[in-house]
């Protein structure tokens, strides 16, 4: 398997992860999001087939969005002189594994590869956390991969905001 960036001339083929919204994003919106400089998408290829994909964009964890003890725990990780009202993040905008690759730990492998890629070398922009608006059905997957809830309840009826601290990458 090979992880490649989506390019304007990448020949997108049929993809089915079992979720129409995630399928449509890849086939209909991913290239346009890149043209608009909103999100970058990466494809996991397996012998010419799309096994999985994810997209990344910029985000932040902000005092105005996170309250109570969770904010205090995040802020306490920084010296007093670096305790700000928000901290930079990379957001996983979409993350999907083809139904043909389910049950093979492809999602966990890909999440580890994503963290590894973000942790290696100098990135163009600094960030501390990875965030995701996790579908409720995917919360256990993200927990298994080291993410924690930022809020105690769902932000809406479909997702929950979660985060991963890049300082936890070995």
């Amino acid at each position: 398997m090979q992880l490649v960036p989506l390019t304007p001339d990448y020949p997108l083929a049929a993809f089915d992860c079992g979720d129409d919204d995630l399928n449509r994003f890849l086939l209909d919106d991913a290239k346009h999001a890149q043209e608009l400089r909103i999100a970058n998408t990466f494809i996991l290829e397996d012998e010419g087939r799309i096994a999985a994909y994810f997209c990344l964009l910029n985000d932040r964890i902000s005092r105005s969005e996170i309250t109570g003890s969770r904010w205090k725990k995040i802020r306490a990780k920084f010296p007093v002189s670096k305790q700000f009202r928000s901290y930079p993040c990379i957001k996983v905008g979409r993350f999907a594994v083809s139904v043909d690759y389910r049950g093979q730990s492809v999602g966990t492998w890909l999440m580890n590869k994503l963290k590894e890629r973000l942790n290696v070398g100098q990135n163009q922009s600094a960030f501390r956390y990875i965030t995701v608006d996790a579908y409720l059905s995917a919360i256990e997957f993200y927990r298994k991969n080291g993410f924690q809830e930022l809020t105690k309840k769902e932000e809406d009826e479909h997702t929950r905001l979660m985060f991963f601290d890049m300082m936890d990458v070995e």
Side-chain angles (χ1 to χ4, degrees):
M1 285 197 230
Q2 175 181 330
L3 189 59
V4 298
L6 179 66
T7 59
D9 60 340
Y10 187 94
L12 286 171
F15 178 79
D16 182 16
C17 68
D19 182 288
D20 289 338
D21 184 47
L22 292 171
N23 294 338
R24 275 193 309 272
F25 174 80
L26 179 61
L27 299 174
D28 300 336
D29 299 327
K31 287 183 181 181
H32 190 60
Q34 285 189 187
E35 288 171 12
L36 296 174
R37 301 179 68 121
I38 296 170
N40 290 327
T41 300
F42 300 86
I43 307 285
L44 181 63
E45 294 180 330
D46 184 28
E47 298 180 6
R49 296 173 53 196
I50 299 174
Y53 81 91
F54 63 85
C55 74
L56 300 175
L57 57 143
N58 292 327
D59 196 15
R60 69 182 178 146
I61 294 176
S62 172
R63 170 73 176 111
S64 64
E65 298 166 339
I66 311 305
T67 59
S69 64
R70 178 61 73 194
W71 178 253
K72 289 177 185 173
K73 288 177 184 176
I74 288 172
R75 197 169 185 216
K77 293 181 179 199
F78 298 90
V80 172
S81 65
K82 300 298 179 197
Q83 291 183 350
F84 304 122
R85 292 185 181 152
S86 66
Y87 296 98
C89 305
I90 297 286
K91 182 177 230 80
V92 177
R94 300 282 195 277
F95 190 98
V97 176
S98 168
V99 294
D100 296 335
Y101 291 84
R102 292 252 173 92
Q104 300 175 37
S105 300
V106 171
T108 296
W109 180 88
L110 186 57
M111 183 58 70
N112 289 334
K113 185 61 76 178
L114 183 159
K115 291 173 187 174
E116 181 183 297
R117 287 182 72 152
L118 291 174
N119 199 45
V120 173
Q122 292 291 326
N123 291 302
Q124 297 298 316
S125 179
F127 65 97
R128 173 68 184 258
Y129 301 101
I130 299 173
T131 57
V132 63
D133 292 322
Y135 286 143
L136 299 182
S137 61
I139 288 175
E140 284 307 313
F141 167 78
Y142 287 106
R143 281 184 186 145
K144 182 176 90 173
N145 285 282
F147 284 74
Q148 301 173 45
E149 288 90 347
L150 268 170
T151 57
K152 296 201 183 280
K153 61 183 178 85
E154 292 80 20
E155 292 300 307
D156 63 36
E157 61 195 51
H158 305 292
T159 64
R160 180 170 295 163
L161 183 58
M162 300 181 79
F163 79 103
F164 176 84
D165 189 340
M166 287 298 291
M167 297 299 280
D168 294 338
V169 174
E170 298 171 1

